[in-house]
């Protein structure tokens, strides 16, 4: 059983990406744990584009309170970090301008969460040793919609963001690969 199955065994949407890395699985997971997608200019531009309606509405309404920080890995809950893998969770109405995020305390709260109309997302990284100094790095994103209403709201959002999300995942893997190979060869 994969780590992600512990947190989100049932799902309606899934995206998977993988690459081979010339580094040990330990080095790969260490780099993955430290990686922040916000460091990628493409990621920052896509998030800025995604959040433009929310920020524009704040301006139109004359909101003076500080705008929320741009979306990033800090919004995810680390569910598990172990040798060979990482699992993050996120709960919210992702199609809303503000993502409709729900704050949860820990993995137990994530597993127990069952609010109608609110999808759960799990993001996992796994590093499978292929031989001495070779690893298969994989990422998998799953989304579970608890009811038909959530599915009907989430599906158009998923299909709109999926191409960019897939490109972001590929860029994340490529960055982790480069950094892992540099670290392992040093």
């Amino acid at each position: 059983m994969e780590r992600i199955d512990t947190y989100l065994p049932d799902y309606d949407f899934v995206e998977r990406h993988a690459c081979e890395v010339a580094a040990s699985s330990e080095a790969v997971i260490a780099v993955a744990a430290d990686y922040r997608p916000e460091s990628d200019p493409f990621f920052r531009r896509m998030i800025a584009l995604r959040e433009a309606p929310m920020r524009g509405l704040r301006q139109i309404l004359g909101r003076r309170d500080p705008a929320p920080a741009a979306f990033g890995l800090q919004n995810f809950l680390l569910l598990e970090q172990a040798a060979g893998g990482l699992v993050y969770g996120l709960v919210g109405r992702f199609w809303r301008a503000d993502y409709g995020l729900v704050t949860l305390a820990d993995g137990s709260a994530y597993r127990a969460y069952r609010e109608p109309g609110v999808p759960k997302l799990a993001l996992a990284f796994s590093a499978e040793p292929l031989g001495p100094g070779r690893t298969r790095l994989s990422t998998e994103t799953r989304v579970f919609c608890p009811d038909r209403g959530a599915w009907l709201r989430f599906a158009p959002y998923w299909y709109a963001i999926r191409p960019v999300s897939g490109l972001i995942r590929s860029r994340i893997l490529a960055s982790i690969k480069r950094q892992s190979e540099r670290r392992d060869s040093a």
Side-chain angles (χ1 to χ4, degrees):
M1 175 154 88
E2 294 183 39
R3 282 178 179 78
I4 196 170
D5 292 330
T6 302
Y7 298 96
L8 203 59
D10 300 316
Y11 51 93
D12 300 293
F13 301 90
V14 65
E15 175 128 4
R16 296 179 182 101
H17 298 273
C19 67
E20 192 171 314
V21 183
S24 68
S25 60
E26 295 82 10
V28 171
I29 285 301
V31 170
D34 290 340
Y35 182 77
R36 295 295 171 265
E38 305 84 30
S39 65
D40 181 354
F42 178 77
F43 176 85
R44 289 194 310 272
R45 283 192 298 273
M46 293 301 100
I47 291 299
L49 182 61
R50 159 65 174 84
E51 293 179 350
M54 174 182 64
R55 298 193 187 280
L57 184 59
R58 288 180 58 79
Q59 246 182 348
I60 290 168
L61 296 175
R63 299 275 307 263
R64 302 229 184 267
D65 57 319
F71 182 82
L73 196 57
Q74 78 279 357
N75 296 106
F76 286 78
L77 173 63
L78 177 61
L79 300 172
E80 183 176 334
Q81 180 173 352
L86 297 162
V87 183
Y88 297 94
L90 191 64
V91 176
R93 293 173 177 92
F94 308 117
W95 56 86
R96 287 183 24 185
D98 66 355
Y99 305 96
L101 298 179
V102 174
T103 302
L104 298 172
D106 56 26
S108 294
Y110 176 87
R111 281 193 301 272
Y113 191 86
R114 290 182 181 20
E115 183 72 27
V118 186
K120 289 173 36 171
L121 179 149
L123 168 64
F125 289 93
S126 62
E128 174 191 352
L130 298 175
R134 289 183 40 245
T135 301
R136 178 178 169 79
L137 171 62
S138 305
T139 182
E140 181 173 353
T141 303
R142 294 178 180 179
V143 178
F144 170 72
C145 296
D147 53 41
R148 182 145 174 79
W151 192 95
L152 289 171
R153 287 181 196 90
F154 182 76
Y157 175 74
W158 174 260
Y159 292 115
I161 63 133
R162 190 171 182 204
V164 172
S165 176
L167 183 55
I168 288 169
R169 298 290 187 282
S170 295
R171 291 175 64 89
I172 289 170
L173 290 181
S175 181
I176 292 170
K177 174 183 168 81
R178 279 190 307 276
Q179 290 177 42
S180 298
E181 289 175 347
R182 271 197 303 260
R183 179 184 282 188
D184 234 30
S185 68

